[in-house]
Amino acid sequence: MNLIKISWANIKDKKLNSFLSVLLLTLGIGMISLLLLLNKQLDEQFRRNIKGIDMVVGAKGSPLQLILSSIYQIDAPTGNVPLSEVNKLKMNPFVKTVIPLSMGDNYQGYRIVGTTPTYVKHFEAAVGTGKLFEKPLEVTLGSKVAGATGLKVGDTFASAHGLDGEGDEHGDSKYLVVGVFESSGSVIDQLILTDLSSVWAIHDHADAPAHDAEEGEHDHEETMPQPQEREVTSALIQFRNPMGLLALPRQVNANTPMQAALPSIEINRLFSLLGVGIDTLRALAFVIILIAGASVFISLYNSLKERKYEMALMLSMGATRTRLFGMLLLEGLILALLGYVAGVLLSHLGLWLFSQAAEQDFHYSFSSMALLPEELLLLAGALAIGVLAAALPSLGVYRLSISRTLAQD
Amino acid sequence: MITSKDLSFSYSPHKKFSFPDILCNDGEALLILGQSGRGKTTLLHILALLLTPESGDIIIDGHSIRSLSPGQTATVRANKIGIIYQRAHFVSSLTVLENLLLSNYLAGRSQDRNKAAYLADQLGFGEHLSKKTHELSQGEQQRVSIARALMNNPAVILADEPTSNLDDENCQKVVNLLKAQSAQIGASLIVVTHDQRLKDEFSNQISL
């Protein structure tokens, strides 16, 4: 027999009231915690892959779509642009690196991206087994791709047209797996990387053979394997200095058939679009938590009216008022703690489910186990609400007249 | 042992009670009879240190209670006085056993399960220890509240109308138990009632 046991017995005695209070708190805490987690994970995923990429150029269309497709590999590309235009950018004094990307095929839903070794270097991906692609039709797999498809070094596979895993197969030219990347937590994990020329080689039989219209690029000292008129999907650009940010996008948009999109701006725009929804949900969650506090308050208030005699009885048996007050606070605290634990479990479970779905649809995964510092703050908030909601009605213990209460009834 | 001298109390200037002096030795029993409105419960609450008298003094086990602080009063009440109310009241969320142990806990003593079990057997509700109190009949509840009053071996047992809600059979049972148990631990037993059935059960009587 001690205070905690009595508090717990009281909570159990009013099962439905306690359940309602805990349920409301669970919902409120769960929602806020889930929002915090999602926000953090999305933010992390988005920022990690953005790093160092100052600008993306590609076919005209939605700049957000261009960013999503080229950096995060989750939306459809906007179209193709001539490689020559991309290569011209290399001559620009503001530009440090240009990483061309060519996509359009997949294997079991995993995108095959034609690029140059600079791309790998940029994301600091290390080859785990085998080696990096060198020749056309050689590929190096992201760690997640290797895990999901079971492909190993030495295996061959035929790619499918499109990005969603349901296109026609390119049956006649097969890719050869020459290496697998170590897991790096970046977008590379979910990609199949190959040389730019592979994508052309695969599609050459379908497209009309290349044209010699633009011979100008022969002047450039290219590292591209085939410096003839080709198309790529987009290119990731790194600036030499921040001045490029001011001059280049305008230049590209005005003077070339391409558009320039700035990842930082587009992602901020995306987050501010999402932000409206997130803010609304957060406000809703806070309202639910307030209602939970009111529910704790009301159920304690009501039960205290019924338990007035009990309180007087315990006082007459030697309990101090402070002790009884502590016992009532404890009831609020226990309810708040239960609500918090259930809410956090719920949100992490929710994130885990969301992560499963995202993994399936976008090949992105989120870690759902770690507790955020903000969630500890949430614990403090929940306990404060529990204490406050319990303290207000419980103050009556200090005004209770033992004799009068016991003499009544 | 409990004695009182010149006790008086008033709720308002028009409603003033003066009580006769009381003397009840260890192991003895005293019946205070009085009709409603004569201040029976007020007197009992004063003796139980739940109300502070306007004048007069109470001596429990040789100690005056006049100079006690509220905290000391609570300690004396918890350890020296066992109270039985007209209607048995309990902490409803706790079991019978827990309600008995509560009296040890609140008095700051170690919780004596053996004593609780022993009293329960003596008072005939040994098989109900793990039930909630509202599952028991009125007579059984009153017996549990007697056991609760005995848990700390008090020097004084005060009973306020302990039998008025009971039928004749349970009334007899409760009175016998009260007398037997308080005699057994050598406590002074004071019963305040208007119940005429108890008139012949006590040799020491005071009328209000």
Side-chain angles (χ1 to χ4, degrees):
Chain A
M1 189 59 39
N2 54 49
L3 282 191
I4 295 177
K5 249 175 134 175
I6 302 174
S7 296
W8 181 240
N10 282 328
I11 288 172
K12 277 201 308 191
D13 205 47
K14 298 252 176 292
K15 283 196 183 66
L16 283 179
N17 279 339
S18 306
F19 176 71
L20 180 65
S21 302
V22 171
L23 183 71
L24 285 168
L25 219 66
T26 301
L27 280 182
I29 298 279
M31 263 170 89
I32 291 190
S33 159
L34 186 62
L35 288 176
L36 285 172
L37 285 169
L38 273 181
N39 213 19
K40 165 138 191 290
Q41 297 274 347
L42 282 177
D43 205 66
E44 239 172 37
Q45 291 278 358
F46 274 90
R47 308 266 174 229
R48 187 186 304 148
N49 287 317
I50 232 177
K51 64 158 193 182
I53 299 170
D54 299 315
M55 186 174 84
V56 179
V57 295
K60 290 211 189 282
S62 152
L64 181 56
Q65 187 188 352
L66 181 61
I67 300 290
L68 289 178
S69 65
S70 300
I71 298 184
Y72 304 109
Q73 307 283 349
I74 44 182
D75 207 351
T78 47
N80 285 345
V81 292
L83 180 61
S84 56
E85 290 289 343
V86 171
N87 283 334
K88 269 186 206 164
L89 282 175
K90 287 193 180 168
M91 304 301 291
N92 195 300
F94 290 127
V95 172
K96 190 167 145 206
T97 49
V98 173
I99 307 171
L101 297 176
S102 193
M103 12 185 180
D105 287 352
N106 77 86
Y107 177 67
Q108 294 186 5
Y110 290 97
R111 291 186 178 198
I112 300 170
V113 177
T115 183
T116 61
T118 329
Y119 186 70
V120 178
K121 214 184 294 164
H122 178 80
F123 283 106
E124 288 162 5
V127 178
T129 55
K131 62 186 179 80
L132 195 62
F133 55 87
E134 283 166 2
K135 294 196 280 288
L137 292 181
E138 286 183 350
V139 298
T140 308
L141 306 179
S143 58
K144 221 179 275 175
V145 184
T149 61
L151 287 173
K152 297 181 300 292
V153 174
D155 288 353
T156 60
F157 64 92
S159 65
H161 199 64
L163 300 168
D164 55 4
E166 279 168 18
D168 301 327
E169 280 198 7
H170 297 290
D172 31 0
S173 322
K174 295 215 167 190
Y175 284 108
L176 170 69
V177 179
V178 296
V180 177
F181 289 113
E182 277 172 12
S183 172
S184 63
S186 71
V187 67
I188 285 191
D189 286 353
Q190 69 217 36
L191 295 179
I192 301 171
L193 294 187
T194 181
D195 197 85
L196 266 184
S197 56
S198 308
V199 179
W200 296 325
I202 289 277
H203 290 95
D204 260 353
H205 59 90
D207 303 343
H211 15 313
D212 306 80
E214 277 200 76
E215 290 291 309
E217 68 217 57
H218 280 301
D219 308 338
H220 313 158
E221 291 270 322
E222 290 307 344
T223 50
M224 294 297 107
Q226 285 170 315
Q228 62 196 89
E229 170 56 344
R230 294 292 196 180
E231 288 193 321
V232 294
T233 311
S234 59
L236 311 178
I237 313 283
Q238 242 181 330
F239 294 145
R240 212 173 281 284
N241 60 48
M243 286 301 289
L245 205 63
L246 296 173
L248 259 181
R250 200 170 305 160
Q251 263 180 38
V252 170
N253 285 332
N255 305 329
T256 71
M258 306 183 291
Q259 71 157 331
L262 301 173
S264 46
I265 289 178
E266 293 308 321
I267 292 312
N268 282 342
R269 207 161 63 88
L270 179 67
F271 271 94
S272 70
L273 285 175
L274 289 175
V276 178
I278 287 180
D279 285 347
T280 314
L281 281 177
R282 189 173 297 162
L284 191 65
F286 276 117
V287 169
I288 292 179
I289 288 189
L290 280 186
I291 296 176
S295 162
V296 172
F297 173 84
I298 292 170
S299 76
L300 264 178
Y301 184 83
N302 280 338
S303 85
L304 277 181
K305 269 201 299 198
E306 289 167 29
R307 280 157 58 193
K308 211 170 138 191
Y309 199 102
E310 268 180 43
M311 294 297 140
L313 184 74
M314 287 168 83
L315 285 172
S316 81
M317 287 165 71
T320 61
R321 289 170 196 270
T322 307
R323 216 159 169 197
L324 290 189
F325 184 67
M327 178 188 90
L328 296 170
L329 281 195
L330 212 55
E331 286 177 34
L333 269 181
I334 291 174
L335 290 176
L337 199 65
L338 284 178
Y340 173 80
V341 170
V344 166
L345 283 179
L346 192 72
S347 74
H348 283 258
L349 181 72
L351 186 70
W352 183 76
L353 288 175
F354 180 81
S355 163
Q356 299 295 307
E359 171 102 46
Q360 204 122 71
D361 296 345
F362 306 115
H363 309 303
Y364 273 102
S365 55
F366 303 98
S367 60
S368 49
M369 291 311 134
L371 210 61
L372 297 179
E374 289 91 333
E375 286 183 287
L376 292 180
L377 218 63
L378 212 54
L379 173 63
L383 294 184
I385 283 197
V387 167
L388 202 68
L392 289 177
S394 308
L395 281 171
V397 168
Y398 285 100
R399 293 193 305 268
L400 187 73
S401 157
I402 311 178
S403 169
R404 194 168 306 152
T405 310
L406 288 175
Q408 278 168 4
D409 170 69
Chain B
M1 185 175 98
I2 181 167
T3 57
S4 79
K5 223 160 71 191
D6 305 329
L7 288 176
S8 73
F9 187 86
S10 63
Y11 289 101
S12 66
H14 315 290
K15 203 175 174 192
K16 194 172 158 79
F17 295 113
S18 294
F19 299 107
D21 292 349
I22 283 166
L23 166 72
C24 187
N25 285 315
D26 288 347
E28 287 186 1
L30 173 67
L31 183 71
I32 301 176
L33 266 170
Q35 292 307 309
S36 304
R38 305 300 297 271
K40 292 192 306 289
T41 298
T42 305
L43 175 59
L44 189 108
H45 281 188
I46 291 173
L47 294 177
L49 315 186
L50 294 170
L51 281 177
T52 314
E54 231 169 51
S55 65
D57 196 5
I58 299 166
I59 316 280
I60 295 173
D61 266 4
H63 299 285
S64 162
I65 55 96
R66 275 220 79 93
S67 52
L68 295 180
S69 70
Q72 288 168 321
T73 307
T75 312
V76 170
R77 192 192 312 124
N79 285 287
K80 297 274 188 192
I81 302 174
I83 312 171
I84 296 146
Y85 300 98
Q86 177 172 357
R87 268 193 47 202
H89 274 276
F90 303 97
V91 177
S92 59
S93 60
L94 300 179
T95 63
V96 170
L97 175 65
E98 287 167 336
N99 265 291
L100 293 181
L101 295 177
L102 187 66
S103 135
N104 284 154
Y105 172 64
L106 291 177
R109 297 171 169 231
S110 65
Q111 294 168 33
D112 192 343
R113 285 168 177 274
N114 292 334
K115 173 147 188 154
Y118 168 77
L119 284 172
D121 281 336
Q122 287 259 302
L123 300 180
F125 59 92
E127 69 274 31
H128 300 317
L129 276 176
S130 54
K131 286 189 183 163
K132 290 282 174 68
T133 50
H134 58 79
E135 294 173 83
L136 272 55
S137 71
Q138 289 263 344
E140 285 167 335
Q141 289 188 14
Q142 199 55 286
R143 278 180 270 148
V144 175
S145 71
I146 292 174
R148 181 176 61 193
L150 293 167
M151 277 301 283
N152 290 331
N153 284 333
V156 179
I157 295 172
L158 302 171
D160 184 8
E161 305 272 12
T163 55
S164 58
N165 288 326
L166 303 178
D167 55 32
D168 288 351
E169 191 188 335
N170 271 308
C171 171
Q172 194 60 48
K173 227 179 192 173
V174 162
V175 168
N176 290 341
L177 283 170
L178 269 176
K179 287 205 286 193
Q181 292 295 330
S182 55
Q184 199 176 330
I185 60 169
S188 315
L189 171 65
I190 296 181
V191 178
V192 172
T193 191
H194 73 275
D195 191 343
Q196 297 297 328
R197 291 178 292 185
L198 303 186
K199 237 177 155 172
D200 305 328
E201 303 285 344
F202 293 86
S203 46
N204 296 336
Q205 292 189 3
I206 293 179
S207 285
L208 285 183

